[in-house]
Amino acid sequence: MSSAALTHDEHAGHASAPPHVAKFGMIMFLASEAMLFAGLIGGYIVLRLAQPEWPPAGAPHLPVLLTGINTIFLVTSSFTLHFAEVQVNKGKTGLFLLLVTIGLGALFVGVQCYEWYHLHHEGLWFNTHGVYGSSFFVMTGFHGLHVIIGVLLIIWVFLRQLLTRCYTPTRHASLANVSLYWHFVDVVWLFLFSIVYLWR
Amino acid sequence: MSAITAEPPHIEDHAHHEDVGFIRKYLWTYDHKMIGLQYLWTALAFLFLGGGLALLVRYQLAWPNTEVPILGQFLPATVASDGAIIPGGYNMLVTMHATVMVFFVVMPLLIGAFGNYLIPLQIGAGDMAFPLLNELSYWLYFISGIILLAAFFVPGGAPGTGWTAYAPLSAVEAYNGTRMGQSLWGIAIFINGLSSIAGATNYITTVVNMRAPGMSMFRMPLTIWSLFITAILLVLAVPVLSAAAAMLFCDLNLGTSFFKPAGGGQPLLWQHLFWFFGHPEVYIMILPAMGMSSDILAVFSRKPIFGYKAMVYAMVAIGFLGFIVWGHHMFVSGMNLTLSAAFGISTMFIAVPSAIKTFNWMGTVWRGSIEFTTAMCFSLAFVSMFVIGGLSGIFMASTPVDLFVHHTYFIVAHIHYVLFGGSILSIFGAIYFWFPKMFGRMLNETLGKVHFFLTLIFFNMAFFPMHNLGLGGMMRRIADPPIYEHLKQLQPLNQISTIGAIGLGFTTFIFIWNIIISLRNGKKAPNNPWNANTLEWTVASPPGHGNFPKTPIVYHGAYEYSVPGMEKDFLPQTEKAPEHVKLEAH
Amino acid sequence: MKFLLLIFTVIAAGLVPAEANSLYWAPPNVTVGGRQIDGILNFIFWLTVIVFFLTQIVYVYYLIKYRRKPGVKAHYSHGNNFLEIIWTTIPVAIFLGLGIYSNRVWADLHRTPPPDAIQVNIFSYQYGWEMRYGGADNQLGRTDIAQISTASKFGVPAEDLAGKDDFTSTELVIPYGKPVHVLLNSRDVIHSFYVPSFRLYQDAVPGRTISWVWFEVERAGNFELACSQLCGIGHYNMKAPIRVVSPEEYAVWYAGKVKAAAEAAQVEVPANNPSEKVAKNGPAT
Ligand code: HEA
Ligand code: HEA
Ligand code: CUA
Ligand SMILES: [Cu+2]
């Protein structure tokens, strides 16, 4: 190993994969994320089909309406992020729409937190009412974690744009990938929402 | 196809740069070759550890409840008392042995070490698509290893539930006695999974997007094809295990009841999730071994691989079918009987592509000009040992026979014939083959041959008797076989097996010794010591940073050996065939 | 190449006595269904032995014949599609046949147990076994999984009259020549019912009753019931004796157990589950 050549790292930088390659990688990563949720959802369906009643007697019902509204927030945020990207494509900053996306994402997390708190208060938790509690909290928890990571990523993108204006119509790979991730989290939520809240 | 091979801007005049510190060179590097070597050394260390655990297991089976010589004193109190292994400790040893071997030895060696080292070099790329992710994946692997080993030292000790960690034993502290240990196992598996996914994402992206000009998919060496398919299996299978491990962790620590019948959970759900991962996993552990051995067979037979496309399609078929046979681990688990029958049929079919591959390997050596280097010997033995392991798989694939042999040593024999006789032998072959490229020195052939013969003999001595033990009715994972009346008479077989295993252990020292002396004063390796065709042999040994001084251009497939009408018997992929010779289409 | 010849001899040397000598082959089979299993086991054994030796002899022959010789160049060939088709279709045919044969036997082994089969409920727990028999009326009380508790060890509801006279035993006693239907339960983790001489393995899964296992033993003998599913620290030692006796002997034993159970029930106030006390008296062997 010629140690000399290693200095090359500093020049090349590691984030140098061209946009379409980075995007391809992101899609592969999301495929594995999809399998993660497929595992959770598959498990949930198997467990649930074997239950005599759902929700089990005495267990609180899930707040469908509130979560329905929350779903609208999340879906909207996907659109705002998409249009932020469109704006960047047009040579604008997209800062405002990014900010709105962050707000909506944070709102979603906030409402989910409130919901957890509320259900906990009503006696539903990881360790109560058997698989009903288990599956609800673990699935929404896993998804919530993904949303939080997404919001942090969008904040990072926002700050980069705010401070350095680094995204141009031709160069905005990280923005495009973050937005791909965000759409994915959104789609997963639609699955979770229909299967956890709407299926009764 | 867009090749974005990095041509390092100024490679020649860097000779005196001393400013790359130790850390940047060995610990946090973005160079795929160095990352590959990080994987190699770490995984070899784990091989020693996993082998050491296996030897303890074997010792207990041959001479139960007697003091383990030398090592006994160093075992933690959860494993041994007065130097003799206790039943709970035995379970821990088995569990940790298998977990270490599967997740920390075979996968990292095949995928981490050879995958990293060979993919960019063989497709003509300067590096992986995401070097940072690559290094991250190594460190995630490293950390998960530390977390796993930490389980030996927590209250309650290491998990003793087998590498399959069947719930509810694994999910309830009252049953397994070590919430901490089992949780650490779950965390280690989860983090190790992240590492695998990071690596696999990188490989797929690299293979699809960064091939050198002219390197079409059907010109790639089989090594690359196998790693590529393996990476796809990883991306699809590993996350399911991660989900299961997360559920297990919650059951243990947050009081959820995914796998506890009392709360409406289902023990069989764990098995379905585990084996949905677990079966693709066993092919993950054999495909790259098949790929590398195919290449080595072709090189030392001086012949094109027989049926290149058939080989590729067979691997694709294995990858696909691998996802629909997981139920063969659960024939007698309480799963629906009709489902068992269906899984029995699909399992029969997955043996077909392996058969195709076996016959093509035989076709490859047919009418060759075979040179028995150590690398070749290991690859040849790989084929034979894999056939034995595969054929024992046919017994178990037959549902009624599995009713008898399930969970006996017959399965243990199968495991080790495919995983040691398959994967590990192939890995040894690959190390002998690519060592010159990696370190610029040849390994000693004489020591290599000794290593090979002793490995083969002791391996068969250690594992062949297990078939008989299994048919004789010896259950897996029992700490003290002679307490069963029908197993007393089989004890001599257990002792033969243990002696073989100890021999295998000592033989490994020959290998280590060979590596040490060859690194210090082995013969200097030329660029292309084996007269092979693939791209890595066109550059220096070891290759410089950025791999290729000039982006290589590929003119044909990797297997143009002994082309009629040519002086030399090989034709590197970067060399145009002379005007007068015609290459056969494949 | 000599090395490969060497392993062949070693393996061949291992195989021949394996078939000839039951010590290093399976223990003698004693059940009716086991004969079918042995049939298919032997069939696959010879199939694989033939495949193994055919492939390996050809392989080693090639290795010797085509070793490097000065001046001899390898044959240049990328393969042969005709051959590929041959060696794809032949294994497909073999495996399809084998799969169908296997599933026939599988279905046959799991056909519904005959109505006159003796029913035994086998309960497993960390780390032991309890067998429950139907008692005087030859009827097992039905296990309700949800009711299994320390008070009701078999989960038989108090109102189930068939369960009142059930008795338990720590050894499995069965007559030969009669079908035996076992119902498998577990109180904690997964255990398994494994008797090599019966050619039988089945997991006992907590939370449900496995009801499809039945067999018919052909001759008397003493065997060991082994738990073959890793179930914790005591797994290695989780066993119970099995006694296969003549139907007459079985009837005597059974009557003795019924009597003991009835006496025990009279001595004490009828409790939730009379069988419990019998268990404490130990098996009346
Ligand atoms: C590298 C790993 C690897 C590989 C490649 C395989 C390959 C195969 N395995 Fe194996 N298997 C494991 C690793 C592997 N296995 C492990 C680790 C376990 C245990 C897990 C545990 O419980 O801990 C296991 C367990 C296991 C079981 C469950 C047993 C039980 O628990 O009861 C079964 C059952 O069907 C099975 C079947 C097969 C089959 C049919 C193949 C086939 O793919 C083999 C195909 C190959 C050939 C058949 C040989 C070559 C072919 C010819 C020469 C052609 C002609 C042949 C004929 C016409 C017969 N395996
Ligand atoms: C993945 C590959 C792999 C490999 C390579 C091995 C290698 C070996 N394995 Fe293992 N094994 C498994 C995977 C593997 N195993 C799996 C998946 C199981 C199932 C576990 C379960 O039931 O859950 C299993 C189970 C298993 C059992 C069954 C335990 C039981 O059911 O009770 C046994 C018993 O003999 C065994 C033995 C061995 C031996 C002797 C080796 C030998 O090949 C090892 C040879 C040794 C070396 C190459 C290292 C030499 C090192 C030294 C001499 C140094 C000693 C140093 C120190 C102690 C620090 N293994
Ligand atoms: Cu019960 Cu093993
Ligand atoms: Cu499998």
Side-chain angles (χ1 to χ4, degrees):
Chain A
M1 184 80 22
S2 76
S3 68
L6 281 169
T7 46
H8 178 50
D9 275 343
E10 271 84 318
H11 313 306
H14 51 267
S16 58
H20 73 278
V21 174
K23 188 165 179 180
F24 184 95
M26 191 66 185
I27 291 171
M28 287 302 118
F29 173 70
L30 293 181
S32 82
E33 288 275 65
M35 286 307 289
L36 180 84
F37 282 103
L40 290 171
I41 292 175
Y44 169 79
I45 293 175
V46 169
L47 291 175
R48 170 148 182 195
L49 288 178
Q51 293 305 304
E53 25 167 12
W54 195 274
H61 287 246
L62 303 176
V64 179
L65 184 66
L66 177 69
T67 318
I69 297 170
N70 208 15
T71 304
I72 296 175
F73 293 153
L74 195 64
V75 173
T76 314
S77 77
S78 236
F79 281 100
T80 54
L81 187 56
H82 175 73
F83 286 116
E85 217 187 320
V86 171
Q87 291 222 322
V88 169
N89 257 330
K90 284 187 188 147
K92 304 198 184 122
T93 64
L95 276 175
F96 175 70
L97 281 173
L98 282 176
L99 201 59
V100 174
T101 312
I102 293 169
L104 286 169
L107 193 60
F108 177 86
V109 175
V111 173
Q112 277 306 95
C113 285
Y114 167 75
E115 197 177 310
W116 273 36
Y117 172 80
H118 168 77
L119 287 170
H120 181 49
H121 202 72
E122 303 241 304
L124 188 65
W125 195 236
F126 285 97
N127 54 357
T128 61
H129 298 290
V131 286
Y132 181 62
S134 314
S135 57
F136 172 78
F137 284 100
V138 169
M139 286 165 79
T140 56
F142 249 99
H143 181 262
L145 211 62
H146 278 80
V147 179
I148 291 172
I149 292 170
V151 171
L152 291 177
L153 285 174
I154 301 174
I155 291 177
W156 171 69
V157 165
F158 173 78
L159 288 179
R160 276 187 74 180
Q161 178 70 328
L162 183 72
L163 301 177
T164 67
R165 294 286 143 96
C166 58
Y167 298 126
T168 63
T170 46
R171 282 181 59 97
H172 56 274
S174 53
L175 173 61
N177 282 329
V178 167
S179 113
L180 206 55
Y181 173 84
W182 189 250
H183 297 324
F184 169 81
V185 171
D186 200 352
V187 171
V188 168
W189 176 251
L190 293 180
F191 275 101
L192 285 186
F193 180 62
S194 29
I195 209 166
V196 174
Y197 293 84
L198 297 182
W199 175 20
R200 37 187 65 226
Chain B
M1 170 190 42
S2 67
I4 53 161
T5 312
E7 284 184 32
H10 29 241
I11 195 125
E12 313 83 17
D13 52 17
H14 264 317
H16 323 284
H17 263 302
E18 291 298 310
D19 54 346
V20 188
F22 178 81
I23 293 184
R24 289 288 290 158
K25 185 171 172 194
Y26 295 110
L27 298 183
W28 188 264
T29 162
Y30 294 145
D31 183 343
H32 73 99
K33 297 186 289 299
M34 190 48 86
I35 298 173
L37 297 185
Q38 290 178 319
Y39 265 113
L40 182 72
W41 295 126
T42 316
L44 283 178
F46 271 113
L47 173 65
F48 252 64
L49 192 89
L53 295 172
L55 293 185
L56 292 172
V57 165
R58 281 290 357 145
Y59 185 81
Q60 166 73 8
L61 289 173
W63 298 284
N65 310 324
T66 53
E67 193 186 321
V68 184
I70 315 163
L71 288 175
Q73 306 311 321
F74 303 104
L75 299 175
T78 45
V79 175
S81 87
D82 290 336
I85 293 166
I86 55 179
Y90 177 86
N91 294 348
M92 296 176 192
L93 292 175
V94 172
T95 306
M96 295 297 266
H97 158 65
T99 310
V100 164
M101 284 297 194
V102 169
F103 294 99
F104 296 90
V105 176
V106 175
M107 283 172 79
L109 278 176
L110 287 173
I111 301 157
F114 288 103
N116 258 313
Y117 203 90
L118 295 177
I119 289 179
L121 276 169
Q122 290 201 333
I123 65 174
D127 206 319
M128 286 286 180
F130 311 112
L132 171 66
L133 193 65
N134 209 7
E135 179 65 350
L136 212 60
S137 116
Y138 168 75
W139 282 106
L140 285 172
Y141 157 63
F142 188 86
I143 291 167
S144 66
I146 302 291
I147 292 175
L148 183 76
L149 295 184
F152 268 121
F153 307 101
V154 297
T161 55
W163 83 290
T164 52
Y166 276 12
L169 177 62
S170 57
V172 181
E173 184 178 12
Y175 299 152
N176 62 39
T178 172
R179 182 163 59 93
M180 280 277 267
Q182 193 70 50
S183 302
L184 286 177
W185 182 89
I187 297 171
I189 293 298
F190 194 92
I191 297 179
N192 189 276
L194 288 180
S195 157
S196 294
I197 292 167
T201 307
N202 215 343
Y203 296 176
I204 300 176
T205 311
T206 307
V207 170
V208 170
N209 294 292
M210 297 179 56
R211 280 166 289 130
M215 179 67 87
S216 62
M217 291 297 269
F218 278 112
R219 282 179 181 173
M220 298 194 310
L222 288 175
T223 303
I224 301 300
W225 263 110
S226 66
L227 285 162
F228 178 60
I229 294 166
T230 301
I232 296 175
L233 295 190
L234 281 169
V235 161
L236 298 179
V238 170
V240 177
L241 178 67
S242 305
M247 290 167 161
L248 180 66
F249 183 87
C250 293
D251 267 13
L252 276 165
N253 295 293
L254 299 176
T256 56
S257 34
F258 289 107
F259 308 122
K260 302 173 191 161
Q266 292 185 24
L268 284 197
L269 175 63
W270 168 266
Q271 295 183 29
H272 279 293
L273 292 171
F274 183 88
W275 291 118
F276 181 85
F277 151 81
H279 191 85
E281 165 73 7
V282 308
Y283 291 114
I284 286 167
M285 290 189 286
I286 201 73
L287 281 176
M290 290 172 158
M292 295 193 301
S293 290
S294 304
D295 282 1
I296 295 171
L297 287 179
V299 169
F300 293 112
S301 304
R302 313 310 297 164
K303 262 194 72 190
I305 196 88
F306 199 88
Y308 170 81
K309 281 213 171 136
M311 289 294 225
V312 173
Y313 294 140
M315 287 197 283
V316 173
I318 290 178
F320 174 74
L321 289 170
F323 280 102
I324 56 168
V325 299
W326 79 88
H328 65 215
H329 298 272
M330 302 171 62
F331 286 151
V332 286
S333 65
M335 181 174 72
N336 178 301
L337 294 173
T338 321
L339 217 52
S340 292
F343 277 121
I345 296 280
S346 63
T347 303
M348 288 287 172
F349 278 112
I350 204 171
V352 173
S354 298
I356 297 175
K357 294 191 78 73
T358 306
F359 294 127
N360 278 313
W361 285 321
M362 291 167 61
T364 302
V365 296
W366 167 73
R367 294 185 71 181
S369 169
I370 302 164
E371 185 184 3
F372 293 95
T373 58
T374 307
M376 181 65 166
C377 288
F378 272 112
S379 300
L380 290 169
F382 156 82
V383 175
S384 292
M385 297 303 111
F386 172 74
V387 167
I388 299 181
L391 291 176
S392 64
I394 303 301
F395 286 75
M396 294 124 65
S398 168
T399 37
V401 179
D402 196 54
L403 206 52
F404 171 35
V405 299
H406 180 68
H407 240 280
T408 63
Y409 264 66
F410 197 82
I411 313 299
V412 180
H414 168 72
I415 298 179
H416 292 92
Y417 267 89
V418 284
L419 280 170
F420 194 101
S423 313
I424 298 277
L425 287 194
S426 161
I427 287 169
F428 281 143
I431 291 178
Y432 280 91
F433 189 69
W434 277 291
F435 190 90
K437 185 53 61 185
M438 291 173 165
F439 303 102
R441 305 250 181 200
M442 308 296 287
L443 277 172
N444 183 309
E445 276 288 314
T446 318
L447 277 181
K449 289 279 167 48
V450 175
H451 172 216
F452 167 72
F453 281 112
L454 290 180
T455 302
L456 196 62
I457 291 165
F458 284 128
F459 164 72
N460 281 289
M461 182 170 163
F463 295 111
F464 200 84
M466 288 185 184
H467 291 109
N468 301 331
L469 283 169
L471 289 175
M474 180 168 164
M475 297 76 89
R476 293 170 67 177
R477 300 160 170 173
I478 48 167
D480 195 355
I483 64 169
Y484 283 90
E485 209 50 56
H486 69 285
L487 297 181
K488 284 205 172 86
Q489 53 178 6
L490 297 177
Q491 202 52 15
L493 286 180
N494 266 323
Q495 282 155 356
I496 294 176
S497 166
T498 298
I499 293 168
I502 293 172
L504 206 51
F506 278 111
T507 310
T508 312
F509 287 115
I510 302 179
F511 175 60
I512 302 291
W513 177 241
N514 195 351
I515 289 190
I516 294 173
I517 60 160
S518 303
L519 275 180
R520 294 180 134 211
N521 37 25
K523 228 170 51 197
K524 275 251 177 337
N527 285 2
N528 192 357
W530 315 118
N531 291 341
N533 284 346
T534 39
L535 297 180
E536 77 272 30
W537 304 106
T538 61
V539 294
S541 301
H545 188 73
N547 297 344
F548 298 94
K550 250 182 85 213
T551 303
I553 297 177
V554 173
Y555 296 103
H556 45 76
Y559 300 103
E560 301 301 342
Y561 292 104
S562 303
V563 182
M566 273 184 66
E567 184 78 19
K568 59 181 185 185
D569 65 353
F570 67 112
L571 180 61
Q573 287 189 280
T574 49
E575 235 175 80
K576 258 205 182 100
E579 291 285 293
H580 61 280
V581 308
K582 224 178 126 261
L583 299 180
E584 197 179 297
H586 53 253
Chain C
M1 315 119 287
K2 276 179 225 118
F3 64 92
L4 278 176
L5 285 176
L6 191 87
I7 24 166
F8 289 151
T9 29
V10 171
I11 289 166
L15 283 178
V16 175
E19 251 281 295
N21 180 350
S22 73
L23 186 74
Y24 293 112
W25 187 248
N29 162 59
V30 297
T31 59
V32 176
R35 282 208 227 136
Q36 282 171 294
I37 295 180
D38 274 3
I40 193 163
L41 177 68
N42 282 327
F43 176 76
I44 298 180
F45 175 73
W46 286 113
L47 174 75
T48 50
V49 164
I50 292 168
V51 167
F52 177 74
F53 279 99
L54 275 185
T55 53
Q56 300 306 301
I57 288 170
V58 173
Y59 187 51
V60 173
Y61 172 73
Y62 284 172
L63 296 186
I64 298 169
K65 175 134 189 245
Y66 301 115
R67 66 185 183 276
R68 181 153 305 172
K69 293 178 204 123
V72 181
K73 215 173 168 183
H75 172 63
Y76 176 70
S77 156
H78 275 285
N80 180 322
N81 285 339
F82 177 70
L83 281 176
E84 301 288 347
I85 291 168
I86 296 276
W87 62 50
T88 308
T89 39
I90 291 179
V92 166
I94 293 178
F95 288 127
L96 196 63
L98 198 55
I100 292 170
Y101 177 18
S102 298
N103 280 349
R104 284 256 175 87
V105 175
W106 179 252
D108 199 39
L109 292 169
H110 292 106
R111 61 184 193 274
T112 26
D116 66 330
I118 295 168
Q119 278 204 338
V120 190
N121 181 200
I122 300 187
F123 255 75
S124 52
Y125 58 90
Q126 280 180 328
Y127 300 97
W129 302 91
E130 269 179 293
M131 332 293 169
R132 184 166 63 99
Y133 289 77
D137 60 355
N138 261 322
Q139 285 278 286
L140 275 174
R142 203 183 49 80
T143 295
D144 178 3
I145 300 294
Q147 296 198 24
I148 300 176
S149 65
T150 34
S152 168
K153 294 196 336 188
F154 296 92
V156 180
E159 63 276 10
D160 188 340
L161 294 178
K164 290 280 176 252
D165 57 353
D166 292 357
F167 67 83
T168 66
S169 160
T170 51
E171 61 171 355
L172 180 63
V173 181
I174 48 178
Y176 55 76
K178 281 236 171 105
V180 177
H181 179 195
V182 293
L183 301 167
L184 287 168
N185 285 99
S186 165
R187 293 199 187 107
D188 35 46
V189 304
I190 304 178
H191 303 276
S192 83
F193 177 92
Y194 172 61
V195 191
S197 300
F198 291 9
R199 307 291 189 263
L200 210 55
Y201 178 109
Q202 176 59 53
D203 276 344
V205 185
R208 50 189 288 209
T209 304
I210 307 279
S211 59
W212 56 65
V213 180
W214 71 277
F215 54 88
E216 184 183 325
V217 186
E218 292 180 309
R219 57 181 143 99
N222 289 322
F223 305 96
E224 262 173 329
L225 169 57
C227 173
S228 180
Q229 181 62 269
L230 182 54
C231 54
I233 296 177
H235 160 64
Y236 74 107
N237 196 19
M238 179 171 161
K239 53 183 182 171
I242 299 180
R243 262 190 323 126
V244 183
V245 297
S246 69
E248 297 77 38
E249 220 178 309
Y250 174 73
V252 173
W253 174 83
Y254 198 87
K257 293 293 276 187
V258 168
K259 199 156 147 258
E263 278 161 11
Q266 264 171 14
V267 173
E268 293 181 39
V269 194
N272 194 5
N273 192 339
S275 53
E276 236 176 283
K277 281 106 214 162
V278 183
K280 284 188 199 107
N281 294 345
T285 35

